[in-house]
Each structure stands twice: as structure tokens, then as C-alpha cells.
Amino acid sequence: MRFRFDPEHDELRQVVRRLLGESAGPAAVIALADDPAACHPRLTAGLAAIGVYGLGVPERFGGAGSGLLELGVVFQEAGRAALGAPLLSPVLAADLVLQAADADGFAGGLLARIAAGELITAPAIAEGPLGWDADPATAATAGGSPTGWTLTGTKDWVQDGAQAGLFVVSATAPDGPALFAVAAGAPGVAVQPVATIDISRRFARLRLDGAPATRLAVPDALAAVRRTRDVGLALLSADHVGIAQRCLDMAVGWAKEREQFGQPIGSFQAIKHKLATVRLELEAAESACLYALWAAQGAPSEFATAARIAGYTCGEAALLAASENIQVHGGIGATWEHPAHVYLRRATAGRRLLAEWQALLEDLAQVVEDTVFVSTAVPVP
């Protein structure tokens, strides 16, 4: 595959970069670091104004009907700017809702509001460990009544939970795993902000105690969650590419500016090796990311594997670039005022946001075993 971005993609990149350059960035993140419930409202409104929340929503629901490539452009810029506003959560929530069989009914109304940026919606899937690796309906339970459904349980690591007006919650119904829509202000709903190492993203714990809920007509809730997790991995890989590129740019710029022994530190072999290694890893990450984003529509049968490869590869590249950026900057790179730590924090948390890296490796190892060793096995006579 020979892939190149279209002029429309480049234009979208410039629009998003201009918006984030005006309102986002590490300085804005650091300014709000002490309040785990805070969020920059201007950013959310700006993203809604340029139609970001509707990129993955079909046109019949008021979205743009675009694919993951367009969203990937946005997420790469989000990583580059260390975006401190809801983005991944409403995109993934829309993907879950879109899989409902009645998308033209209740789910369709939700999609229209998400696409317009009127309703920040957050998936509430994880219970206990960070990530969506485990069965997404292990503890939260749903009960039916003459007046509707109610949910009881706790969901952890709900991204943008304090900002969300609606949650898409996985729970165990009498007939098996299911997905429900729960309003943030409903009785029995409690949201507790949680501080994490990542000061650019906001997380919360969602407690449900007989909270009223509307069941989404998703035929297979487990399959829907796994599909959406793969979408999230592909988009997070773009975020990680943005982190790695920004950290490399920062490190190269500093290596040219900072002098030791009368010459720029970039002339030293040790610094050159660090930067060259990051550049090589970034090249691999960009390729893996682009293929995963393209495969969502171009090669659907390969998407799940491509997304997991990208999730692992790009996560490692972002962590390496962020770490080496601090090393190249030396003492100043480890200070609170310098933006380097914001990217290191974001990369560290992003690697585990939807899947533990070890789980991704195990999934990929199983794919290799199934497609290589099993398919090429010679039958015993």
C-alpha cells in the first residue's frame, strides 16, 4: 500500500493545529493540574465548532461520515498539543452507540447530540484494572422493572467522567452482557474525580446505585466493546505519533541551541544516537498507525490485528521519545515548568489506557500462531 494524505486531510490538520495552538498546549495543562475535575471549556466548544465530534458519525445523524483517517489526523494533533479536553471518550461512545440495532431511534438521537458537541458522552467499561482487556461486564449489574432498567456497580477509569453528561455503561443483564445509557445527573449516579499520572487527561470513578438506565439495542455487547477498543487503539496510536513527533522536535531544537564545551550538544555522538533512534522508532510508528487507520475501511479483516500492532508500536515509540526528550534537555527537562514531563505522563498513561501492553503482545502472538504455524502445518500421514 502506498498511502498519501489528501489536501483535505492537510487542511483539516491545519485547522485543528490552529485551534489547539490558540487554546491548548502543556502550559494550559499544567495550569489546571491541581484540579482533576477541571477542563478547558473553550477547547471543547472549539472542537465542536469545527465538527470534530461528528467525524466518525454518519451523515444521517448529523455527522460528517468520515473514516478513521480523518479522526487520526485530529488525534495526532491532539497528542502533539497534549490536548486537555474530551476527545477520545465521545468518539468511542459514539462508536458504541452506532452499533445499536435501533440507530434510527433512541441511539440515533444520542448520535446527533454527540456529533453536534451538545452532549459529552463517556464509555464506562473498565472495572478495577485500567484498560478494557477483561470482560466488560464483570461486576455492574442491570435489573429490569415495570418502569425500566436500573444499574448497580462501580466503573473505574472513566475518561472525562466529570465532564460527561451521559455514560455508555457495560453491565450484566439477566440475558447476558449489555450496554446502557445513563444520564450523569440521574438519581443513584455519583462521579468521583480521580487524579492520575497523566495531567492532560481527566478520569473519574462512576458509582451506580439503582441508577435509571436505557438499554441500547446492541446485538452483541462483548463484540461491540472489543470492536470499539480496537478503534480506540488505532486512534491512540495517532495520539502517540503526535507525542513522539513533538518530543523529537523539542529535543532536536534544544540540541541545536544548547552548548557545551563551546559547541552545540547535538554535535556529540551520544546525542546523535539518541535522536537517530527516536527517529527510526517514529518512522515505524507512523507506518503502523497509518495502516491501522486505513485498514478500518480499506481492509476490515485486518483491522483488529493492525490496530493492536499500532497500539503497541506507537505506545513504545511515544514513551521512548518522551523519555529521551527529557534526557537531552538535562536538568531543565525534569522541572515542573518545562513541558517535557507533560508528554512523558501522557505517553505513560496512554500505553495502558485501553489495553495493557502485555495483553496486546499476547493477542499478537496468538495471531502469529494461528496464521503462520497452524496454516503451514504439515499433516501427519
Side-chain angles (χ1 to χ4, degrees):
M1 180 193 71
R2 185 175 180 84
F3 176 82
R4 292 180 180 175
F5 281 114
D6 295 330
E8 291 80 6
H9 293 128
D10 296 329
E11 183 178 352
L12 173 62
R13 184 184 303 280
Q14 293 304 317
V15 170
V16 175
R17 182 172 295 187
R18 189 180 308 114
L19 169 67
L20 300 188
E22 294 172 353
S23 305
V29 169
I30 293 172
L32 298 176
D34 292 334
D35 187 353
C39 181
H40 202 308
R42 182 178 176 184
L43 280 173
T44 305
L47 292 171
I50 62 176
V52 165
Y53 297 123
L55 286 176
V57 177
E59 293 182 5
R60 70 179 187 273
F61 302 122
S66 304
L68 286 194
L69 277 172
E70 288 75 13
L71 278 169
V73 170
V74 175
F75 273 81
Q76 188 170 336
E77 292 303 310
R80 183 178 179 273
L83 176 65
L87 179 59
L88 182 64
S89 49
V91 169
L92 296 189
D95 191 76
L96 286 170
V97 174
L98 189 57
Q99 298 180 66
D102 67 337
D104 290 321
F106 173 76
L110 289 183
L111 287 170
R113 296 183 66 193
I114 295 172
E118 299 174 357
L119 181 65
I120 298 300
T121 308
I125 307 296
E127 297 173 0
L130 182 63
W132 294 12
D133 299 312
D135 184 334
T138 55
T141 57
S145 71
T147 57
W149 292 90
T150 59
L151 300 187
T152 298
T154 300
K155 292 294 181 176
D156 298 300
W157 313 114
V158 180
Q159 189 174 348
D160 303 312
Q163 291 76 42
L166 187 83
F167 300 98
V168 177
V169 184
S170 60
T172 300
D175 58 343
L179 292 174
F180 298 84
V182 178
V189 176
V191 178
Q192 177 188 358
V194 177
T196 70
I197 189 174
D198 184 0
I199 60 174
S200 66
R201 297 185 177 103
R202 296 293 183 253
F203 295 89
R205 178 176 291 110
L206 176 65
R207 299 185 186 278
L208 304 170
D209 185 10
T214 301
R215 184 167 181 172
L216 298 175
V218 177
D220 187 339
L222 291 179
V225 168
R226 291 179 182 131
R227 145 76 191 184
T228 299
R229 187 197 74 160
D230 291 337
V231 169
L233 287 173
L235 295 176
L236 273 177
S237 73
D239 189 288
H240 285 141
V241 167
I243 293 173
Q245 182 62 69
R246 179 58 182 147
C247 288
L248 179 59
D249 291 344
M250 289 170 63
V252 170
W254 182 250
K256 293 178 179 180
E257 177 183 344
R258 179 72 167 115
E259 292 189 357
Q260 286 282 345
F261 309 109
Q263 57 185 317
I265 63 173
S267 64
F268 301 146
Q269 198 72 5
I271 300 297
K272 290 180 180 179
H273 284 169
K274 286 180 178 295
L275 299 179
T277 300
V278 172
R279 178 66 257 181
L280 287 173
E281 294 299 321
L282 178 56
E283 289 279 358
E286 288 174 331
S287 297
C289 172
L290 282 175
Y291 187 76
L293 296 172
W294 172 84
Q297 292 179 312
S301 63
E302 301 176 15
F303 173 62
T305 299
R308 292 163 195 178
I309 291 174
Y312 178 79
T313 303
C314 299
E316 292 294 295
L319 186 61
L320 173 67
S323 301
E324 295 291 38
N325 183 36
I326 290 180
Q327 291 294 319
V328 170
H329 277 82
I332 192 175
T335 62
W336 176 257
E337 293 77 10
H338 197 276
H341 71 93
V342 175
Y343 292 101
L344 180 61
R345 291 166 180 268
R346 188 178 181 94
T348 300
R351 291 172 70 246
R352 299 187 58 192
L353 193 54
L354 293 175
E356 173 61 56
W357 66 270
Q358 184 64 36
L360 291 180
L361 288 180
E362 291 173 358
D363 286 350
L364 295 174
Q366 188 62 52
V367 171
V368 171
E369 181 178 345
D370 294 343
T371 59
V372 178
F373 295 105
V374 175
S375 62
T376 59
V378 178
V380 178

